[in-house]
Amino acid sequence: MNQKYKLYLDVCCLNRPFDDWSQERIRLEGEIILSIFERIIAQEWELISSEAIEVELLKMKNLDKLQNIQRLLSLATTSIIINSSIDQRSQELENLGFGLYDSFHIACAEMAQVDVLLTTDDRLLNRVSRYIDRFNVTISNPVIWLMSVFQTKGESNDDIP
């Protein structure tokens, strides 16, 4: 049976399906995120949200995009509320140079014990790679992560001529 992954998508990731797809990378990431949501809708995988996501979304000016993201978030089975231990962990991450929202997303994802925090934010991924041993959660780009899931499941293209 397939593993039922617990996923946390940061706001960059949640935005991607509703971004301008004229750039190849944005289109690819958007399609992958929609594919991930197909599995969430089918209840094969589980979406975890957080108070940090809700607070960051308050900054959004594009109300159509916001409504679409809120529809996606309505599929979340759990929403992590920020508490003192998350706040403390966020401070530790900020001291390493992570931004306020990124540090809260990581701390919430760790608290929820998700399998992966997905992000399309290159700056975040670059900083994560410098401190890879400091996290209690995997942090990855959705395209890279989904490819690794397919490889783990034994789906390969070795049979394709």
Side-chain angles (χ1 to χ4, degrees), residues 85-109:
S85 60
I86 289 173
D87 196 41
Q88 180 179 351
R89 176 65 173 144
S90 175
Q91 282 294 313
E92 292 169 11
L93 294 166
E94 279 188 79
N95 291 341
L96 295 175
F98 288 90
L100 178 67
Y101 290 112
D102 292 338
S103 66
F104 272 108
H105 291 312
I106 294 167
C108 287

mmCIF file of all heavy atoms in Angstrom, residues 85-109:
data_model
loop_
_atom_site.group_PDB
_atom_site.id
_atom_site.type_symbol
_atom_site.label_atom_id
_atom_site.label_comp_id
_atom_site.label_asym_id
_atom_site.label_seq_id
_atom_site.Cartn_x
_atom_site.Cartn_y
_atom_site.Cartn_z
ATOM 1 N N SER A 85 6.393 26.814 22.348
ATOM 2 C CA SER A 85 7.502 26.001 21.831
ATOM 3 C C SER A 85 7.723 26.284 20.341
ATOM 4 O O SER A 85 8.869 26.308 19.883
ATOM 5 C CB SER A 85 7.293 24.515 22.089
ATOM 6 O OG SER A 85 6.125 24.055 21.472
ATOM 7 N N ILE A 86 6.653 26.518 19.595
ATOM 8 C CA ILE A 86 6.811 26.893 18.183
ATOM 9 C C ILE A 86 7.469 28.264 18.091
ATOM 10 O O ILE A 86 8.360 28.484 17.271
ATOM 11 C CB ILE A 86 5.444 26.881 17.453
ATOM 12 C CG1 ILE A 86 4.958 25.437 17.286
ATOM 13 C CG2 ILE A 86 5.537 27.581 16.102
ATOM 14 C CD1 ILE A 86 3.550 25.304 16.728
ATOM 15 N N ASP A 87 7.053 29.183 18.958
ATOM 16 C CA ASP A 87 7.633 30.528 18.980
ATOM 17 C C ASP A 87 9.130 30.466 19.298
ATOM 18 O O ASP A 87 9.944 31.131 18.649
ATOM 19 C CB ASP A 87 6.888 31.386 20.003
ATOM 20 C CG ASP A 87 7.149 32.862 19.808
ATOM 21 O OD1 ASP A 87 7.191 33.315 18.653
ATOM 22 O OD2 ASP A 87 7.314 33.562 20.834
ATOM 23 N N GLN A 88 9.500 29.634 20.265
ATOM 24 C CA GLN A 88 10.906 29.489 20.633
ATOM 25 C C GLN A 88 11.715 28.890 19.476
ATOM 26 O O GLN A 88 12.801 29.368 19.158
ATOM 27 C CB GLN A 88 11.035 28.611 21.872
ATOM 28 C CG GLN A 88 12.456 28.413 22.333
ATOM 29 C CD GLN A 88 12.544 27.542 23.582
ATOM 30 O OE1 GLN A 88 11.533 27.220 24.205
ATOM 31 N NE2 GLN A 88 13.755 27.164 23.946
ATOM 32 N N ARG A 89 11.176 27.857 18.840
ATOM 33 C CA ARG A 89 11.864 27.230 17.703
ATOM 34 C C ARG A 89 12.006 28.225 16.551
ATOM 35 O O ARG A 89 13.045 28.281 15.902
ATOM 36 C CB ARG A 89 11.095 25.973 17.257
ATOM 37 C CG ARG A 89 11.663 25.294 16.038
ATOM 38 C CD ARG A 89 13.052 24.738 16.283
ATOM 39 N NE ARG A 89 13.487 23.954 15.143
ATOM 40 C CZ ARG A 89 14.728 23.908 14.691
ATOM 41 N NH1 ARG A 89 15.699 24.573 15.316
ATOM 42 N NH2 ARG A 89 15.029 23.172 13.649
ATOM 43 N N SER A 90 10.970 29.018 16.319
ATOM 44 C CA SER A 90 11.023 30.034 15.280
ATOM 45 C C SER A 90 12.152 31.027 15.548
ATOM 46 O O SER A 90 12.884 31.421 14.634
ATOM 47 C CB SER A 90 9.677 30.763 15.186
ATOM 48 O OG SER A 90 9.757 31.822 14.267
ATOM 49 N N GLN A 91 12.310 31.417 16.810
ATOM 50 C CA GLN A 91 13.391 32.333 17.189
ATOM 51 C C GLN A 91 14.764 31.719 16.885
ATOM 52 O O GLN A 91 15.654 32.395 16.378
ATOM 53 C CB GLN A 91 13.306 32.681 18.683
ATOM 54 C CG GLN A 91 12.259 33.700 19.013
ATOM 55 C CD GLN A 91 12.591 35.054 18.408
ATOM 56 O OE1 GLN A 91 13.709 35.543 18.499
ATOM 57 N NE2 GLN A 91 11.604 35.659 17.764
ATOM 58 N N GLU A 92 14.921 30.427 17.198
ATOM 59 C CA GLU A 92 16.188 29.736 16.904
ATOM 60 C C GLU A 92 16.484 29.794 15.397
ATOM 61 O O GLU A 92 17.628 30.037 14.995
ATOM 62 C CB GLU A 92 16.117 28.269 17.336
ATOM 63 C CG GLU A 92 16.035 28.039 18.820
ATOM 64 C CD GLU A 92 15.702 26.592 19.175
ATOM 65 O OE1 GLU A 92 15.731 25.709 18.281
ATOM 66 O OE2 GLU A 92 15.401 26.336 20.359
ATOM 67 N N LEU A 93 15.458 29.571 14.591
ATOM 68 C CA LEU A 93 15.639 29.576 13.135
ATOM 69 C C LEU A 93 15.913 30.986 12.621
ATOM 70 O O LEU A 93 16.735 31.168 11.720
ATOM 71 C CB LEU A 93 14.420 28.958 12.456
ATOM 72 C CG LEU A 93 14.227 27.467 12.746
ATOM 73 C CD1 LEU A 93 12.841 27.013 12.334
ATOM 74 C CD2 LEU A 93 15.309 26.642 12.069
ATOM 75 N N GLU A 94 15.243 31.979 13.195
ATOM 76 C CA GLU A 94 15.522 33.371 12.811
ATOM 77 C C GLU A 94 16.974 33.730 13.123
ATOM 78 O O GLU A 94 17.615 34.446 12.353
ATOM 79 C CB GLU A 94 14.583 34.334 13.537
ATOM 80 C CG GLU A 94 13.225 34.447 12.888
ATOM 81 C CD GLU A 94 12.408 35.556 13.517
ATOM 82 O OE1 GLU A 94 12.649 36.734 13.174
ATOM 83 O OE2 GLU A 94 11.555 35.225 14.368
ATOM 84 N N ASN A 95 17.497 33.207 14.232
ATOM 85 C CA ASN A 95 18.890 33.463 14.594
ATOM 86 C C ASN A 95 19.865 32.860 13.588
ATOM 87 O O ASN A 95 21.016 33.292 13.501
ATOM 88 C CB ASN A 95 19.192 32.949 16.005
ATOM 89 C CG ASN A 95 18.479 33.757 17.075
ATOM 90 O OD1 ASN A 95 18.052 34.886 16.841
ATOM 91 N ND2 ASN A 95 18.324 33.167 18.245
ATOM 92 N N LEU A 96 19.412 31.849 12.830
ATOM 93 C CA LEU A 96 20.236 31.273 11.767
ATOM 94 C C LEU A 96 20.085 32.053 10.451
ATOM 95 O O LEU A 96 20.720 31.718 9.460
ATOM 96 C CB LEU A 96 19.854 29.810 11.517
ATOM 97 C CG LEU A 96 20.117 28.828 12.647
ATOM 98 C CD1 LEU A 96 19.580 27.446 12.287
ATOM 99 C CD2 LEU A 96 21.615 28.758 12.960
ATOM 100 N N GLY A 97 19.209 33.058 10.442
ATOM 101 C CA GLY A 97 19.033 33.884 9.259
ATOM 102 C C GLY A 97 17.766 33.609 8.470
ATOM 103 O O GLY A 97 17.568 34.196 7.402
ATOM 104 N N PHE A 98 16.900 32.740 8.978
ATOM 105 C CA PHE A 98 15.634 32.483 8.292
ATOM 106 C C PHE A 98 14.682 33.640 8.556
ATOM 107 O O PHE A 98 14.691 34.225 9.641
ATOM 108 C CB PHE A 98 15.012 31.162 8.770
ATOM 109 C CG PHE A 98 15.742 29.959 8.282
ATOM 110 C CD1 PHE A 98 16.773 29.409 9.027
ATOM 111 C CD2 PHE A 98 15.424 29.380 7.057
ATOM 112 C CE1 PHE A 98 17.472 28.311 8.568
ATOM 113 C CE2 PHE A 98 16.110 28.274 6.593
ATOM 114 C CZ PHE A 98 17.142 27.736 7.346
ATOM 115 N N GLY A 99 13.848 33.949 7.570
ATOM 116 C CA GLY A 99 12.863 35.008 7.718
ATOM 117 C C GLY A 99 11.776 34.618 8.708
ATOM 118 O O GLY A 99 11.617 33.440 9.050
ATOM 119 N N LEU A 100 11.016 35.599 9.135
ATOM 120 C CA LEU A 100 9.977 35.389 10.138
ATOM 121 C C LEU A 100 8.981 34.308 9.705
ATOM 122 O O LEU A 100 8.753 33.341 10.432
ATOM 123 C CB LEU A 100 9.240 36.708 10.413
ATOM 124 C CG LEU A 100 8.090 36.625 11.420
ATOM 125 C CD1 LEU A 100 8.626 36.325 12.815
ATOM 126 C CD2 LEU A 100 7.303 37.929 11.416
ATOM 127 N N TYR A 101 8.394 34.463 8.532
ATOM 128 C CA TYR A 101 7.381 33.494 8.097
ATOM 129 C C TYR A 101 7.997 32.122 7.854
ATOM 130 O O TYR A 101 7.428 31.100 8.251
ATOM 131 C CB TYR A 101 6.636 33.990 6.848
ATOM 132 C CG TYR A 101 5.739 35.162 7.145
ATOM 133 C CD1 TYR A 101 6.025 36.425 6.628
ATOM 134 C CD2 TYR A 101 4.604 35.016 7.944
ATOM 135 C CE1 TYR A 101 5.197 37.511 6.901
ATOM 136 C CE2 TYR A 101 3.777 36.098 8.231
ATOM 137 C CZ TYR A 101 4.078 37.336 7.703
ATOM 138 O OH TYR A 101 3.265 38.407 7.983
ATOM 139 N N ASP A 102 9.155 32.106 7.202
ATOM 140 C CA ASP A 102 9.816 30.816 6.943
ATOM 141 C C ASP A 102 10.111 30.085 8.250
ATOM 142 O O ASP A 102 9.896 28.872 8.360
ATOM 143 C CB ASP A 102 11.119 31.008 6.159
ATOM 144 C CG ASP A 102 10.884 31.478 4.739
ATOM 145 O OD1 ASP A 102 9.766 31.269 4.212
ATOM 146 O OD2 ASP A 102 11.824 32.051 4.148
ATOM 147 N N SER A 103 10.595 30.818 9.246
ATOM 148 C CA SER A 103 10.928 30.174 10.518
ATOM 149 C C SER A 103 9.675 29.611 11.189
ATOM 150 O O SER A 103 9.707 28.515 11.758
ATOM 151 C CB SER A 103 11.663 31.144 11.441
ATOM 152 O OG SER A 103 10.834 32.215 11.835
ATOM 153 N N PHE A 104 8.562 30.327 11.090
ATOM 154 C CA PHE A 104 7.321 29.815 11.670
ATOM 155 C C PHE A 104 6.791 28.612 10.885
ATOM 156 O O PHE A 104 6.276 27.658 11.472
ATOM 157 C CB PHE A 104 6.248 30.906 11.775
ATOM 158 C CG PHE A 104 6.324 31.672 13.057
ATOM 159 C CD1 PHE A 104 6.777 32.984 13.065
ATOM 160 C CD2 PHE A 104 5.955 31.090 14.261
ATOM 161 C CE1 PHE A 104 6.862 33.706 14.255
ATOM 162 C CE2 PHE A 104 6.032 31.793 15.458
ATOM 163 C CZ PHE A 104 6.485 33.104 15.448
ATOM 164 N N HIS A 105 6.911 28.650 9.551
ATOM 165 C CA HIS A 105 6.461 27.496 8.759
ATOM 166 C C HIS A 105 7.261 26.245 9.124
ATOM 167 O O HIS A 105 6.689 25.163 9.316
ATOM 168 C CB HIS A 105 6.587 27.773 7.255
ATOM 169 C CG HIS A 105 5.629 28.796 6.753
ATOM 170 N ND1 HIS A 105 4.279 28.774 7.043
ATOM 171 C CD2 HIS A 105 5.825 29.885 5.978
ATOM 172 C CE1 HIS A 105 3.689 29.807 6.466
ATOM 173 N NE2 HIS A 105 4.606 30.500 5.821
ATOM 174 N N ILE A 106 8.568 26.390 9.245
ATOM 175 C CA ILE A 106 9.413 25.243 9.598
ATOM 176 C C ILE A 106 9.050 24.731 10.992
ATOM 177 O O ILE A 106 8.869 23.530 11.197
ATOM 178 C CB ILE A 106 10.914 25.604 9.516
ATOM 179 C CG1 ILE A 106 11.306 25.902 8.063
ATOM 180 C CG2 ILE A 106 11.776 24.479 10.097
ATOM 181 C CD1 ILE A 106 12.662 26.566 7.893
ATOM 182 N N ALA A 107 8.912 25.656 11.944
ATOM 183 C CA ALA A 107 8.582 25.256 13.320
ATOM 184 C C ALA A 107 7.212 24.564 13.382
ATOM 185 O O ALA A 107 7.057 23.557 14.081
ATOM 186 C CB ALA A 107 8.612 26.478 14.243
ATOM 187 N N CYS A 108 6.246 25.065 12.643
ATOM 188 C CA CYS A 108 4.909 24.439 12.626
ATOM 189 C C CYS A 108 4.967 23.064 11.968
ATOM 190 O O CYS A 108 4.339 22.112 12.442
ATOM 191 C CB CYS A 108 3.908 25.328 11.892
ATOM 192 S SG CYS A 108 3.419 26.809 12.814
ATOM 193 N N ALA A 109 5.721 22.951 10.879
ATOM 194 C CA ALA A 109 5.854 21.663 10.186
ATOM 195 C C ALA A 109 6.531 20.639 11.093
ATOM 196 O O ALA A 109 6.137 19.470 11.134
ATOM 197 C CB ALA A 109 6.635 21.845 8.887
#
